Amino acid sequence: MSTDTAQTSAGTAPISWPEEGVSRVPYQLFSDPQIYAMEQERIFRGPVWHFLCLELEVANPGDYRTGFVGETPIIVTRNRTGDIHAMVNRCAHKGALVCHKERGNAKTLSCVYHSWTYDLEGRLMGLAFRDGLKGKGGMPKTFRTSDHRLQPIRTEVYAGIVFGTFHADTPDVETFFGPAMCRILQRNLSRPLRLLGYHSQMIHNNWKLYAENVRDSYHATLLHTFYTTFRINRLDMDGGIRIADAPQPWHHLSFARRATFEAAEEYTAAEVHSANYESRLNGPELLETWEEFDDGITHAIQALFPTLTIQFTLNSLAVRWFTPRGVDRTELFWMYLGYADDEDDEQQMRVMQANLTGAAGLVSLEDGCINEFVQRGTRGSTPGDRAFMEMGGTTVESSEGSRATEVAIRGFWQGYREIMGLG
Amino acid sequence: MAEQDNPDREELPVDPALRARICDFLLDVAHAIDDDRLEAWAQFFTEQATYRITTRESEEAGMPIGIMACASRGMLEDRIKALRTANIFEPHTYCHLLGPSRLRLVAPDLVAARTNFSVIRTMQNGESILFAAGRYQDEIVTGRERPLLRSRTVVLESRRIDVLLVIPI
């Protein structure tokens, strides 16, 4: 592994990108272990803000929550004075996990192996048998606790999300995501939140296939036929793709507006349509909704590079993110949210609408297997084999009025190529 | 702790005939899924029945959202209809293994049952895995011609689902 890292650090690109640019993607990117190692360095430890957790998960002083940035285990804490800190979950002594529980509350963080104990900011406070036992053993006189600590991660809390980066050069969060993305984050997450549910899915594909999938507006009504069968959403709804006005086109918002949904709802309720019987729900409580915003947007799915997606579809607010678990495994986490001041009936509507997404989502469950189909389909491919993505053109620009486009995927790859140095 | 698990709760005796009837019923419900008779499976529920799949973690934290929540038999029927006509997934089957049920008669025609289960999922390439393990928390009405589920909460041990969950547990 160290040889690989040295090689990639030296800039040896293990692939050559097709000359057509980001409308072509070599299949090799989804299975090459050298690429995977390079991503850990250049993306997950690179100049990028990563989702660490929600601020509400570390609500009180002493709260901690563990997680991952890429392969790296991390801890997020709130210290005694209320500040949020993050660090690598790896003892400075032997490298053991310091926190082995997913979440908790503690005065200090203590490694169970040899009792090396850290404060909530990751600074080493003390360790067992430092002065030896009965005058024998112990650390050398030159040992200083201040020379050792848990590796810190820069953090910034924005719209209730704790972001972290390993890199000193990452610009601040607002600059990194750009004003258009930040407006939607503020719209959806700037009120006190309540955690309503949490689960994960192990999907059998490279993480970038899921990153493509959430940016793929072309597939939405083709693969996910629950929408069209029950007339909830259609490709001709008013909406579009907004690419981030940030330094990189990594992020985007896919949105649809209310008017068409209401029409579709009336269409279904009145039973005056050409659709077949199958479009009627026996349990219409699934789609009871209320209007939460006055901007007309009923479906907002925002993908923030590299692994975070925030959805506000009807009244279902969820944050999902994923962690690579090897070159062909990805764990996808779903966290369902409401607002702290939701009325009971509002919360119940969010609970019902949670049926649409997640591991068993009536709308989204196909995404659990479709990326694996690509992973399996591209096995045995040769270095020249690549995906063809010219739907909506070959460039990266916002696409108001149409979601029959692969523009957001091309945006992802444009940023990916640059950060990875795959020219 | 669910009310039906409360050890201090006053219990009426469950006579052997009722026990046999309920245990057969619970097996019939599981086998309907294993045999891909999902439309018939939905008819084991009352019209106003609730069916939820959640996780031990969500349940213990009192969180209302798990993996799936149906507030009526109609929603179950929609799930089955979606599975048959809308949802796309790789073919697979379940094999349910049920543990013995702990029954409590909580009203003259209402039985609360807790049953541990495991579900083995087999894909078309022959791969079998332990897909789910957990417990059913059931309320079964017994006053009619045949028992019916008034509520079923499926509490999964794990909060992590392999690939996807489309066939109910």
Side-chain angles (χ1 to χ4, degrees):
Chain A
M1 188 59 80
S2 60
T3 312
D4 284 349
T5 306
Q7 192 179 357
T8 54
S9 296
T12 310
I15 67 151
S16 60
W17 207 280
E19 60 185 27
E20 294 91 339
V22 291
S23 64
R24 305 290 189 280
V25 174
Y27 293 141
Q28 190 190 347
L29 289 173
F30 303 121
S31 55
D32 188 321
Q34 196 182 344
I35 288 285
Y36 184 81
M38 197 170 154
E39 289 164 351
Q40 295 298 316
E41 174 199 335
R42 298 194 182 179
I43 295 176
F44 294 102
R45 291 191 298 275
V48 172
W49 285 107
H50 295 278
F51 174 85
L52 302 186
C53 69
L54 294 177
E55 191 179 11
L56 63 81
E57 296 181 88
V58 285
N60 302 307
D63 282 354
Y64 67 85
R65 201 269 197 239
T66 63
F68 296 88
V69 173
E71 294 266 2
T72 306
I74 59 124
I75 312 168
V76 181
T77 64
R78 189 183 289 273
N79 71 8
R80 292 287 140 196
T81 53
D83 300 323
I84 285 180
H85 292 270
M87 57 219 82
V88 175
N89 188 4
R90 181 186 297 146
C91 186
H93 174 215
K94 301 264 287 183
L97 292 176
V98 174
C99 294
H100 60 277
K101 293 181 183 165
E102 194 165 76
R103 58 191 81 223
N105 185 281
K107 289 189 170 60
T108 57
L109 307 175
S110 185
C111 179
V112 294
Y113 201 172
H114 302 92
S115 291
W116 283 43
T117 299
Y118 304 87
D119 70 11
L120 293 167
E121 296 175 33
R123 293 176 296 219
L124 182 63
M125 297 166 63
L127 52 101
F129 307 142
R130 178 178 174 176
D131 300 322
L133 282 170
K134 297 177 181 171
K136 293 184 178 167
M139 282 291 179
K141 293 282 182 253
T142 55
F143 178 84
R144 300 271 179 282
T145 52
S146 58
D147 291 343
H148 306 270
R149 58 158 300 144
L150 302 179
Q151 184 189 345
I153 299 168
R154 241 179 95 199
T155 60
E156 195 174 320
V157 179
Y158 190 86
I161 297 174
V162 182
F163 290 100
T165 182
F166 282 92
H167 213 284
D169 297 341
T170 316
D172 63 82
V173 164
E174 280 197 300
T175 305
F176 181 77
F177 293 120
M181 294 300 109
C182 287
R183 269 197 304 278
I184 293 289
L185 282 171
Q186 291 289 347
R187 170 198 189 262
N188 292 343
L189 299 170
S190 61
R191 290 163 57 192
L193 299 165
R194 175 182 295 159
L195 181 58
L196 300 182
Y198 179 45
H199 71 265
S200 79
Q201 258 175 292
M202 188 61 85
I203 52 179
H204 299 223
N205 54 266
N206 184 267
W207 67 274
K208 297 188 296 301
L209 288 170
Y210 194 80
E212 278 200 325
N213 186 230
V214 296
R215 289 165 174 80
D216 184 344
S217 49
Y218 179 21
H219 86 292
T221 50
L222 302 173
L223 177 66
H224 305 307
T225 56
F226 183 84
Y227 267 161
T228 40
T229 303
F230 292 90
R231 305 239 161 203
I232 301 160
N233 190 356
R234 291 158 35 148
L235 210 56
D236 56 5
M237 279 173 76
D238 175 31
I241 304 293
R242 196 171 294 153
I243 300 290
D245 46 357
Q248 291 287 356
W250 279 329
H251 330 287
H252 89 289
L253 170 73
S254 170
F255 67 99
R257 288 186 206 282
R258 176 195 309 135
T260 319
F261 172 66
E262 283 194 338
E265 193 175 43
E266 286 161 13
Y267 205 59
T268 308
E271 300 178 38
V272 285
H273 54 73
S274 57
N276 57 30
Y277 166 79
E278 296 298 321
S279 68
R280 296 190 57 231
L281 287 167
N282 286 349
E285 56 268 48
L286 173 70
L287 291 178
E288 284 174 7
T289 66
W290 85 99
E291 291 178 19
E292 290 196 71
F293 297 97
D294 55 14
D295 60 6
I297 294 174
T298 54
H299 291 69
I301 301 179
Q302 182 178 24
L304 301 177
F305 188 89
T307 63
L308 179 62
T309 300
I310 296 145
Q311 67 165 63
F312 215 134
T313 51
L314 305 176
N315 308 107
S316 183
L317 174 60
V319 171
R320 80 183 99 132
W321 72 97
F322 51 86
T323 300
R325 300 290 194 199
V327 72
D328 59 357
R329 286 284 187 285
T330 301
E331 187 168 4
L332 173 62
F333 294 90
W334 295 84
M335 197 169 261
Y336 289 90
L337 299 166
Y339 295 121
D341 60 357
D342 279 347
E343 302 290 341
D344 288 349
D345 61 331
E346 292 170 339
Q347 178 170 305
Q348 180 59 18
M349 286 187 238
R350 297 198 205 280
V351 170
M352 285 295 108
Q353 292 173 29
N355 281 298
L356 297 170
T357 56
L362 285 162
V363 171
S364 72
L365 66 86
E366 291 84 7
D367 290 331
C369 64
I370 194 64
N371 303 296
E372 179 183 344
F373 293 172
V374 179
Q375 189 78 36
R376 282 153 57 181
T378 56
R379 269 186 204 149
S381 57
T382 59
D385 293 338
R386 75 287 182 279
F388 175 92
M389 294 184 295
E390 291 194 4
M391 185 60 72
T394 57
T395 57
V396 181
E397 55 207 19
S398 289
S399 166
E400 302 284 333
S402 173
R403 284 173 293 139
T405 174
E406 291 167 315
V407 63
I409 306 178
R410 291 191 294 271
F412 170 85
W413 289 115
Q414 185 170 308
Y416 178 89
R417 274 184 77 178
E418 187 167 319
I419 195 171
M420 289 283 285
L422 300 173
Chain B
M1 183 171 63
E3 173 59 20
Q4 63 192 56
D5 289 340
N6 184 352
D8 298 329
R9 179 176 182 148
E10 192 177 341
E11 261 184 72
L12 302 168
V14 180
D15 69 60
L18 179 60
R19 161 167 287 280
R21 192 166 164 238
I22 297 293
C23 290
D24 281 350
F25 170 73
L26 290 171
L27 288 169
D28 288 344
V29 176
H31 294 163
I33 298 173
D34 293 352
D35 298 347
D36 193 29
R37 290 181 284 106
L38 299 174
E39 290 76 6
W41 172 80
Q43 302 312 312
F44 287 121
F45 291 80
T46 64
E47 199 175 335
Q48 301 302 318
T50 58
Y51 172 84
R52 290 198 306 133
I53 302 176
T54 185
T55 65
R56 178 193 276 266
E57 183 180 339
S58 281
E59 200 71 352
E60 288 178 356
M63 292 191 283
I65 295 178
I67 311 282
M68 183 188 294
C70 296
S72 65
R73 186 169 68 205
M75 286 186 75
L76 284 178
E77 290 164 348
D78 290 336
R79 276 271 170 191
I80 305 306
K81 200 186 297 178
L83 177 154
R84 298 288 191 214
T85 65
N87 292 138
I88 293 161
F89 51 91
E90 199 167 355
H92 58 280
T93 57
Y94 286 169
C95 176
H96 279 74
L97 300 174
L98 301 193
S101 299
R102 178 68 168 96
L103 305 185
R104 296 174 195 279
L105 190 65
V106 294
D109 56 0
L110 181 64
V111 172
R114 172 178 170 163
T115 311
N116 283 4
F117 67 83
S118 52
V119 173
I120 293 159
R121 184 195 67 190
T122 301
M123 306 302 292
Q124 57 186 353
N125 69 356
E127 180 197 60
S128 284
I129 66 158
L130 178 63
F131 179 64
R135 65 180 193 269
Y136 294 125
Q137 301 275 178
D138 295 329
E139 288 185 325
I140 303 156
V141 290
T142 59
R144 312 177 198 198
E145 188 182 332
R146 60 173 194 157
L148 289 176
L149 282 160
R150 190 175 80 168
S151 77
R152 164 162 280 189
T153 303
V154 185
V155 184
L156 303 179
E157 285 295 304
S158 172
R159 63 126 193 268
R160 192 175 82 193
I161 302 292
D162 187 67
V163 185
L164 57 82
L165 191 157
V166 63
I167 301 173
I169 298 284

